[in-house]
Amino acid sequence: RAQQLEPGHPYHAYNRGNIQLAFAQTLPEGQQQQVAANAAEALRQAFDLAPTDPQIARSLAQAHLLADNYEAARSMAEYLLTLRPNNPANHLVLGHAYAELGNLDAAEQAYQEALQLERPDRPSAEPYVALGELARDQGDLMAARNWYSQAVEAEPENWALHYNLGLLYRDTGSLQEAITELSKAASVAPPE
């Protein structure tokens, strides 16, 4: 309704697109595409009105990723880096687009750049997880385990990181470490 009252105001379309994007992210894989495509449409309207707003550009790139429109996601993420080259989240979006397009070397480079830009006083697990998933997808479970171990150091209260690290320990034959990490996951997981 706000967008109908002020069609030239980009943030009404941006807010609508972000709500749709947030909803798409809650859906299981396979059900996200259409909702994400709708989000991308709203976000494209906002972007057309405010093309230099990095938040709009990042949300649009993320919507393209969830809608499986990887080339559009890559293009938007590359543009986003011209707006905010020192934001690690922007490099992560680009890395995800490259990974989906099968350009794994470029994905790894983008993830490494995100990692280098992280604030030492507030590290995020996201770059480590992205590098770990890339290594796992390439069959290098030891490298994946090392990346996930660093992710756990960055966010020790994140139960999902402990769980994934536990599975990697299991898959690499380190059963005692697997039990330890899976136990940690159970202890920090939120109650049902």
Side-chain angles (χ1 to χ4, degrees):
R1 179 79 176 119
Q3 190 175 6
Q4 290 172 345
L5 293 172
E6 293 181 281
H9 196 295
Y11 298 103
H12 299 313
Y14 169 71
N15 290 334
R16 183 167 48 89
N18 258 354
I19 289 168
Q20 291 170 320
L21 179 59
F23 177 62
Q25 291 169 331
T26 67
L27 297 172
E29 274 190 53
Q31 296 178 14
Q32 299 173 331
Q33 290 174 306
Q34 186 56 52
V35 177
N38 293 341
E41 185 178 317
L43 291 164
R44 171 54 72 179
Q45 292 171 10
F47 177 77
D48 289 344
L49 293 168
T52 59
D53 186 312
Q55 290 178 319
I56 294 173
R58 185 179 319 115
S59 291
L60 180 54
Q62 290 170 326
H64 283 313
L65 277 172
L66 284 180
D68 295 347
N69 191 350
Y70 305 128
E71 190 55 43
R74 181 206 52 80
S75 177
M76 185 55 58
E78 286 177 349
Y79 172 74
L80 177 59
L81 286 176
T82 67
L83 299 174
R84 293 286 192 278
N86 294 325
N87 186 322
N90 298 344
H91 289 276
L92 286 171
V93 172
L94 180 61
H96 296 327
Y98 278 137
E100 293 294 346
L101 288 167
N103 190 343
L104 303 183
D105 291 336
E108 182 176 2
Q109 181 180 351
Y111 295 150
Q112 289 284 358
E113 288 173 12
L115 189 58
Q116 295 303 314
L117 292 169
E118 284 291 322
R119 289 181 49 177
D121 60 325
R122 284 192 338 204
S124 166
E126 285 186 70
Y128 298 113
V129 169
L131 286 160
E133 288 302 305
L134 193 62
R136 185 193 322 231
D137 291 346
Q138 294 175 351
D140 189 347
L141 297 182
M142 293 303 286
R145 190 175 91 175
N146 291 335
W147 288 119
Y148 262 94
S149 179
Q150 292 177 71
V152 165
E153 286 177 27
E155 294 182 27
E157 297 303 313
N158 186 325
W159 72 269
L161 297 177
H162 287 287
Y163 177 78
N164 283 307
L165 180 57
L167 295 180
L168 284 163
Y169 276 126
R170 179 201 66 192
D171 294 346
T172 56
S174 300
L175 298 182
Q176 188 56 49
E177 290 89 346
I179 291 168
T180 299
E181 288 303 320
L182 293 171
S183 296
K184 286 179 186 176
S187 71
V188 297
E192 194 63 40

